[in-house]
Amino acid sequence: MAAPRAGTVTATAVRTGARRGAHRTVARPFRAAFMPVRAVITTTCGWWRGGGTDAGGTLVTGASGRRTALVTGASRGLGGAISAALARDGAHVAINYRRDHAAAEALRARITEAGGRAELFRADITDEAAVEELYDHIVAEFGSLDILVLNATGPQPDLPVEELRWRDVLDQLEFFVKSPLLLVRRAVPGMRERGFGRIVQIGSDVVALGPARSSAYVAAKSAQAGLTRSWARELGPHGITVNTVAPGWIPTDRHDGIGPDARDAYTASVPLGHFGVPADIGEAVAFLASDRAAFITGQTLTVNGGMVFV
């Protein structure tokens, strides 16, 4: 076998330590060439040693040694799946809920049994005073808030335009514009100070589809998408990324009243031919919250089996 060129490393020398003198001679040029690259990686991504996301995808930097994620509307459905995925990747999870304490407690138990850490925080995230208190309690418990997942939602009116009231539109804006504003406004100063933050909004593919009788919901979700793009430009220089995950119809318990005919009609229009599951959204959010997505901001990741292309 020909001798290796300078700057190359033979697999045999690395794995077995054979010909140690030759290994050291060959490795020196490699290390010298790689050190500047390693310095850039460490500075920009933080995952080379002791920071960011380790080789297994674990979130390992934060005020308490692990990054802390707040997931709003997290007791069940998409929020529960997002919380579980973030906890699996090593984040401490603040489970926000408003009414269903039993479901939130069950989610915390599942995360704890799997070796993660999660705590419950009951709060109305459309109320300014409640958001202030929520943030303070999370920081007191975990030390910081590094990842913000804006998932909470409310009833979505199915009304023709002639029956739609301005109050119906405002109710949607409460969840998808006011609440994100309150939470981001409170969390950003700490993220900016640490030079790191991940904000992930849970949007919807209705922004592209524009379904009939859903104009209040579509308008509010469109406004939410605009917030993502504007905040991404504003906060990017401070190491904070802002993105949206836009699910298609992902059946959860809130859809239990929808019959098989409507379900079959929907899946027939999906190129992949089936529904997604909440874990699909959890994985998308976990990716955007990690350092693997450090150079992605202002984007909408649509998760709907190809129902619409954005």
Side-chain angles (χ1 to χ4, degrees):
M1 182 176 69
R5 298 187 302 275
T8 64
V9 181
T10 65
T12 303
V14 172
R15 288 199 295 265
T16 68
R19 296 192 297 275
R20 295 185 183 273
H23 174 207
R24 284 194 294 270
T25 300
V26 170
R28 284 190 193 108
F30 175 82
R31 290 195 193 103
F34 184 69
M35 286 302 287
V37 178
R38 170 176 164 178
V40 171
I41 291 171
T42 304
T43 300
T44 58
C45 299
W47 55 256
W48 181 260
R49 281 185 182 174
T53 309
D54 68 14
T58 304
L59 299 168
V60 294
T61 56
S64 61
R66 295 274 172 176
R67 288 180 179 155
T68 298
L70 166 62
V71 183
T72 65
S75 60
R76 55 203 174 105
L78 301 186
I82 292 165
S83 298
L86 291 169
R88 178 207 61 204
D89 282 2
H92 294 156
V93 179
I95 299 171
N96 162 251
Y97 70 102
R98 185 173 181 181
R99 295 187 181 90
D100 198 342
H101 178 80
E105 186 60 63
L107 174 62
R108 176 170 64 175
R110 291 196 299 274
I111 289 173
T112 301
E113 289 168 4
R117 183 184 173 194
E119 301 296 341
L120 306 185
F121 298 86
R122 185 172 190 165
D124 175 1
I125 45 75
T126 66
D127 180 85
E128 186 166 0
V131 167
E132 292 285 333
E133 186 176 359
L134 170 64
Y135 178 84
D136 291 343
H137 286 170
I138 291 171
V139 172
E141 180 68 34
F142 294 113
S144 66
L145 177 55
D146 310 291
I147 300 162
L148 181 57
V149 183
L150 303 166
N151 171 72
T153 188
Q156 296 151 18
D158 177 15
L159 294 170
V161 66
E162 62 268 27
E163 296 178 19
L164 192 66
R165 302 166 302 159
W166 177 233
R167 183 70 254 173
D168 297 320
V169 178
L170 288 178
D171 287 344
Q172 299 302 298
L173 293 173
E174 289 271 325
F175 277 103
F176 304 128
V177 176
K178 179 184 177 182
S179 175
L181 171 62
L182 296 177
L183 287 158
V184 168
R185 188 175 66 186
R186 192 64 186 89
V188 157
M191 292 178 176
R192 184 187 290 118
E193 182 180 350
R194 292 184 298 275
F196 175 90
R198 294 285 186 269
I199 299 170
V200 183
Q201 303 214 71
I202 304 305
S204 173
D205 66 355
V206 300
V207 173
L209 289 170
R213 301 172 60 96
S214 300
S215 54
Y217 181 62
V218 172
K221 282 297 187 183
S222 299
Q224 183 186 36
L227 292 179
T228 291
R229 293 191 289 270
S230 182
W231 287 342
R233 289 193 183 277
E234 180 178 345
L235 301 175
H238 305 287
I240 302 168
T241 66
V242 189
N243 292 288
T244 294
V245 171
W249 180 8
I250 309 291
T252 65
D253 55 0
R254 68 184 292 143
H255 303 113
D256 286 347
I258 298 176
D261 290 345
R263 292 171 183 262
D264 291 345
Y266 181 86
T267 55
S269 66
V270 176
L272 290 183
H274 60 84
F275 282 116
V277 296
D280 294 324
I281 307 306
E283 294 300 330
V285 173
F287 167 68
L288 289 173
S290 75
D291 284 335
R292 301 186 300 276
F295 201 55
I296 301 173
T297 195
Q299 304 304 309
T300 295
L301 175 57
T302 303
V303 184
N304 66 359
M307 181 72 171
V308 64
F309 303 127
V310 179

